Amino acid sequence: MDGPAASGKGSLARRMAQKLGYAHLDTGLIYRAVGVKLIEAGGDLARAPEIAAALAPEDLARADLRSAEAGSAASRVAVIPEVRAALLDWQRRFAHRPPYGAAGAVLDGRDIGTVVCPEAPAKIFVVADPMVRAERRWRELRETDPSADLKTILEDLLLRDARDSARAAAPLKQADDALLLDTTNLTIDEAVAQALSFAAPRLSGGPEASDPVV
Ligand code: CDP
């Protein structure tokens, strides 16, 4: 599952994984963890590949990865091909051998359908109107930061979208065989229902389209 910032792909991926009994990997967290660790190490981008290569599972459990600063740092390290290469095997292993014996995995990010798992049986590209995305992110951030400002968030999302789409290494792009799902006017339940009716019949060994997964 891929899509721009705050398009709804994270909640959707989590809910789909629950419904299907699959493992879920938010690959954005990996880039956020590299970005945050780089800031702590002084911010020299040349050190990002070595930080990515040494990333440990507990780094993804940090409480500060959801901040706007972490998102922005993530998109700056994510343009570096050596950083992406260092994180690729790890993501592929998760997809092919999901933890806890799960029968499958849902990964969400920017390049899952195009680079990490081009062979995935079900790909979804999630989009939404930029203002709706900014409002969603504002509501999330406001819970921990009462000073979160909608205009600044919108500017940050647009900047990040531009950087993610324009970069040479694994840019944000819809895979040819991905379903385009626009969540602008959908509730999360409606988005989950549409995503599952597309994905379920494509998942071998998974629930059939007629199974009551929703
Ligand atoms: O939650 P949100 O959609 O705002 O962002 P995220 O999924 O946590 O990703 C943060 C940043 O990491 C993105 O802006 C991308 O630059 C980068 N990223 C990436 O390059 N490739 C991925 N598979 C996932 C994230």
Side-chain angles (χ1 to χ4, degrees):
M1 197 168 289
D2 293 307
S7 53
K9 63 188 186 313
S11 318
L12 193 54
R14 216 172 17 255
R15 295 274 289 270
M16 289 206 40
Q18 271 167 11
K19 298 267 189 197
L20 294 163
Y22 284 6
H24 169 227
L25 178 63
D26 172 354
T27 64
L29 276 187
I30 309 176
Y31 290 92
R32 285 171 180 264
V34 175
V36 167
K37 291 192 87 171
L38 181 71
I39 293 172
E40 286 171 355
D44 177 4
L45 281 172
R47 294 200 54 201
E50 118 206 17
I51 289 173
L55 207 64
E58 55 271 23
D59 293 326
L60 304 190
R62 293 175 60 136
D64 55 355
L65 299 185
R66 286 272 149 229
S67 70
E69 293 71 34
S72 164
S75 95
R76 275 181 275 117
V77 297
V79 303
I80 304 170
E82 292 79 6
V83 168
R84 307 200 71 85
L87 302 172
L88 193 57
D89 280 352
W90 199 80
Q91 296 174 81
R92 285 189 175 150
R93 264 201 307 281
F94 188 100
H96 290 280
R97 266 189 281 135
Y100 315 117
V106 183
L107 279 74
D108 73 270
R110 300 292 187 291
D111 61 341
I112 307 305
T114 49
V115 175
V116 178
C117 300
E119 72 295 346
K123 301 177 188 173
I124 302 177
F125 195 77
V126 189
V127 296
D129 176 81
M131 195 58 197
V132 169
R133 293 193 280 127
E135 279 169 8
R136 286 176 184 162
R137 186 50 46 95
W138 176 65
R139 264 183 249 118
E140 263 170 39
L141 289 176
R142 214 176 36 166
E143 285 174 19
T144 50
D145 176 10
S147 69
D149 171 54
L150 183 60
K151 188 166 164 284
T152 313
I153 292 170
L154 177 63
E155 283 166 6
D156 171 60
L157 290 191
L158 294 177
L159 187 72
R160 227 149 37 88
D161 287 355
R163 200 186 282 140
D164 291 347
S165 304
R167 70 182 177 219
L172 170 66
K173 188 157 86 65
Q174 182 180 353
D176 293 339
D177 53 348
L179 170 77
L180 180 66
L181 183 61
D182 186 337
T183 67
T184 304
N185 296 308
L186 298 182
T187 64
I188 178 73
D189 284 341
E190 289 167 339
V192 171
Q194 290 194 18
L196 277 171
S197 67
F198 170 80
R202 290 170 170 77
L203 303 170
S204 57
E208 297 299 324
S210 55
D211 283 353
V213 283
V214 183

